[in-house]
Amino acid sequence: MFRAKDAHEAQGLLDAWLKATAYCRIAPVVAVEKKVRRRRADVIAAVELETGNGRVESINNKIKVTIASGYGFCNTDNL
């Protein structure tokens, strides 16, 4: 779906996948289908804007590493 040429094509592919998995009896697949159905607009927007959350996750990881390396300092100035 993320290889779709535009948001309209991605929307059609996503709807087809949701329809195909709607009556699946495999519990993990049903859980993913429910989550994707709730976040459908966000998935379509990500395809339309050609963005992902990789940069945000990278920044979050850098913040966590910085906090971990500063563990034990009394205040943030020393960090």
Side-chain angles (χ1 to χ4, degrees):
M1 190 198 73
F2 288 101
R3 293 183 180 152
K5 295 187 182 6
D6 61 356
H8 183 68
E9 181 183 357
Q11 185 175 4
L13 291 170
L14 181 61
D15 289 340
W17 183 82
L18 289 171
K19 184 178 179 182
T21 59
Y23 299 103
C24 181
R25 293 183 182 177
I26 302 170
V29 174
V30 172
V32 170
E33 185 265 336
K34 287 181 181 180
K35 289 175 187 175
V36 171
R37 191 174 294 278
R38 281 193 309 260
R39 305 295 297 204
R40 183 180 175 278
D42 296 334
V43 172
I44 298 300
V47 172
E48 186 176 353
L49 298 173
E50 298 178 357
T51 61
N53 67 342
R55 290 184 181 174
V56 174
E57 293 295 331
S58 172
I59 292 170
N60 286 341
N61 189 37
K62 289 177 184 176
I63 291 170
K64 288 179 184 179
V65 168
T66 303
I67 290 170
S69 68
Y71 182 75
F73 286 102
C74 295
N75 60 36
T76 56
D77 291 333
N78 291 340
L79 172 66

